[in-house]
Amino acid sequence: MSLEQIHRDEWGRLLALLVAHSRRLDLAEDALAEAFEQAARVWPDDGTPTNPAGWLMTTAKRRITDRIRAEAMAARKQPLLAIDERNRVQDNESGDDLLRLVLLAAHPALAPEAGAALTLRLVLGVPTGDIAKLFLVSEPTMAARLTRARKKVVAAGIPLALPDARVLPGRLDTVAQVAYLAFTAGYAPGSGPDLVRVELAGEAIRLVRLMRSSSPVARASQSLTALLALMLLQHSRRDARVGRGGELVRLPDQQRSTWHQHEIAEGLDLLGVLTGRETSPAIEIDGPVAASYLLQALIAAEHARAARAQDTDWVTIADLYRQLEDLTGSPVVRLNRAVAVAEAGDLEAAMALADGLLAELPTNHRLHAVRAEFLTRAGRTTQAGDAYREAISLCANDVERSDLEQRLAFVADPEGQ
């Protein structure tokens, strides 16, 4: 197993254990990062240890001990992260350590976006640059936000403990937002060689399952139920998204026989819990967070129910995106709506929606790629080529950029392809 894979699989669990051990979030995060850095230097020559996680834990604990000794009297004055003794995590436990760390970042002392970003970084180890892209801010801005959030956790003495049923409901929407952003990071990585990060998306699903199993209050949460349905319906297509050579496979070209039908069935069943039927809400949805996830899940369900790409009900999907845009005001939702409108047959309206986003999403490569596709369909190949070149210049994901380059080549020389 590679060090990168170990980082993805073990980062959150090891960090939670180190926080419980040291009661210092700042020391725990730094020590674990240093342990991984040391592993990157040592393991290529010495070989990967039999127990990599144990090696990292031991190394990080030594770093913490050294830091605490060096701080001496100053460390005694530093505010500590409170830990309920009844909930103290031991090194050999695997129960609720990760859950506690998620709830720590979802504490009301932190703003929801700060808590979400902090959990992505601490629990799942998502790079700061990719988190910045999810929040549509620059990397330095996100780095500063993460630093402020860490300091607030330490200064406030936020407990690493499971809250009781009276406190939990107010934390669930934020936890759902955290998991949703983690899932998005798995299926829309902002940079790097991977088109999808299946392990990260799977971890986000595990977080939601863990939350829903933690208490009756969490299981009854509409936000978590709708989100789990959405995740399962999207995750069911993971094996069809990437070709044998690692290339991007677009939705119309995916082999639907490879979609995981048991996950689709579970997602549709969860939608049934919320709607009474599979196509539209039949009960009152409590709050915009739950409504947003429900609408997205209903969109995913339309794709899942279509046996063939040409059977997709794009008119319904476009209307669901309209409702979602009305709810959120998100320019990214409007971009997705534009795609659905085009697929439903109104290319002129779709182009107007996309062109109207140029001021709001000037550096979003997907907007330029969508415009290029629309312009190609309209026969405006010169403008389409310019839009593809702009998308390529802005795209930091290797696989997506390769796909865009192929599409540009086709527009430039359709007979040669």
Side-chain angles (χ1 to χ4, degrees):
M1 181 183 297
S2 68
L3 183 60
E4 180 181 2
Q5 184 65 50
I6 294 168
H7 183 279
R8 292 177 180 175
D9 291 346
E10 298 288 353
W11 175 273
R13 185 182 69 85
L14 292 176
L15 183 60
L17 292 170
L18 289 168
V19 171
H21 167 74
S22 65
R23 296 189 296 162
R24 290 281 300 277
L25 177 59
D26 54 343
L27 290 186
E29 186 184 5
D30 289 346
L32 186 56
E34 290 171 7
F36 271 99
E37 289 173 3
Q38 184 173 344
R41 294 192 303 269
V42 172
W43 291 4
D45 294 331
D46 296 352
T48 302
T50 304
N51 181 4
W55 188 99
L56 290 163
M57 175 64 74
T58 300
T59 302
K61 280 185 174 180
R62 288 172 180 164
R63 299 275 184 177
I64 290 172
T65 299
D66 291 343
R67 283 280 302 277
I68 290 176
R69 286 174 178 168
E71 288 179 356
M73 293 299 296
R76 295 192 182 97
K77 298 178 182 179
Q78 185 82 352
L80 299 183
L81 183 66
I83 298 179
D84 187 334
E85 290 299 326
R86 296 169 299 175
N87 290 322
R88 181 177 288 279
V89 182
Q90 301 300 326
D91 289 0
N92 60 353
E93 292 183 0
S94 59
D96 296 322
D97 50 348
L98 195 60
L99 176 59
R100 291 189 185 100
L101 199 58
V102 173
L103 289 174
L104 169 71
H107 195 276
L110 294 175
E113 283 199 352
L118 189 62
T119 301
L120 288 171
R121 184 72 196 101
L122 297 185
V123 180
L124 299 178
V126 180
T128 300
D130 286 354
I131 300 174
K133 287 183 173 64
L134 290 174
F135 283 93
L136 303 179
V137 300
S138 68
E139 184 170 350
T141 297
M142 180 52 64
R145 287 184 186 178
L146 289 170
T147 298
R148 288 194 297 269
R150 290 185 187 96
K151 289 180 177 179
K152 192 160 190 177
V153 166
V154 174
I158 296 174
L160 185 72
L162 296 180
D164 60 35
R166 295 172 299 174
V167 178
L168 188 57
R171 307 270 293 277
L172 294 179
D173 277 1
T174 302
V175 171
Q177 291 169 337
V178 167
Y180 176 74
L181 286 166
F183 187 81
T184 303
Y187 277 106
S191 62
D194 300 323
L195 178 64
V196 297
R197 300 171 185 167
V198 173
E199 298 84 359
L200 179 57
E203 186 70 3
I205 292 174
R206 190 175 78 85
L207 288 176
V208 176
R209 289 194 187 280
L210 183 60
M211 280 301 306
R212 293 185 77 244
S213 66
S214 65
S215 75
V217 175
R219 188 163 189 83
S221 165
Q222 291 181 337
S223 295
L224 290 174
T225 301
L227 179 58
L228 183 57
L230 169 62
M231 287 178 164
L232 288 169
L233 290 168
Q234 296 279 21
H235 199 53
S236 69
R237 305 201 297 264
R238 59 189 176 276
D239 293 340
R241 292 173 181 264
V242 183
R244 291 183 178 179
E247 70 278 7
L248 181 153
V249 180
R250 294 174 179 254
L251 182 60
D253 302 320
Q254 290 180 9
Q255 291 293 325
R256 300 189 176 214
S257 61
T258 66
W259 292 3
H260 293 253
Q261 294 301 317
H262 67 285
E263 292 174 353
I264 291 175
E266 184 182 356
L268 294 177
D269 285 345
L270 289 166
L271 277 180
V273 171
L274 293 172
T275 66
R277 57 188 188 275
E278 296 176 353
T279 56
S280 62
I283 62 174
E284 183 177 351
I285 300 301
D286 184 17
V289 174
S292 171
Y293 297 144
L294 176 58
L295 287 168
Q296 291 178 73
L298 290 170
I299 291 168
E302 289 297 329
H303 290 298
R305 280 193 290 265
R308 303 174 302 167
Q310 56 265 41
D311 298 332
T312 305
D313 186 351
W314 285 106
V315 173
T316 295
I317 291 174
D319 184 63
L320 288 168
Y321 272 124
R322 178 193 59 77
Q323 296 178 53
L324 187 59
E325 183 185 350
D326 290 344
L327 178 69
T328 65
S330 167
V332 174
V333 171
R334 184 182 298 181
L335 177 59
N336 290 327
R337 178 187 167 198
V339 172
V341 168
E343 294 297 333
D346 194 342
L347 181 59
E348 184 176 348
M351 292 180 70
L353 285 169
D355 289 346
L357 290 169
L358 286 169
E360 294 184 77
L361 298 173
T363 62
N364 186 306
H365 75 275
R366 291 190 179 91
L367 168 60
H368 296 284
V370 167
R371 290 187 68 251
E373 176 67 22
F374 291 170
L375 289 164
T376 301
R377 294 186 190 184
R380 296 157 59 180
T381 55
T382 300
Q383 291 172 279
D386 291 340
Y388 272 128
R389 291 184 188 92
E390 184 67 17
I392 291 166
S393 72
L394 294 169
C395 183
N397 182 271
D398 298 347
V399 179
E400 284 189 82
R401 188 168 56 251
S402 175
D403 179 74
L404 291 170
E405 288 169 348
Q406 291 181 30
R407 291 179 177 274
L408 171 60
F410 178 82
V411 168
D413 183 17
E415 295 183 358
Q417 299 298 309

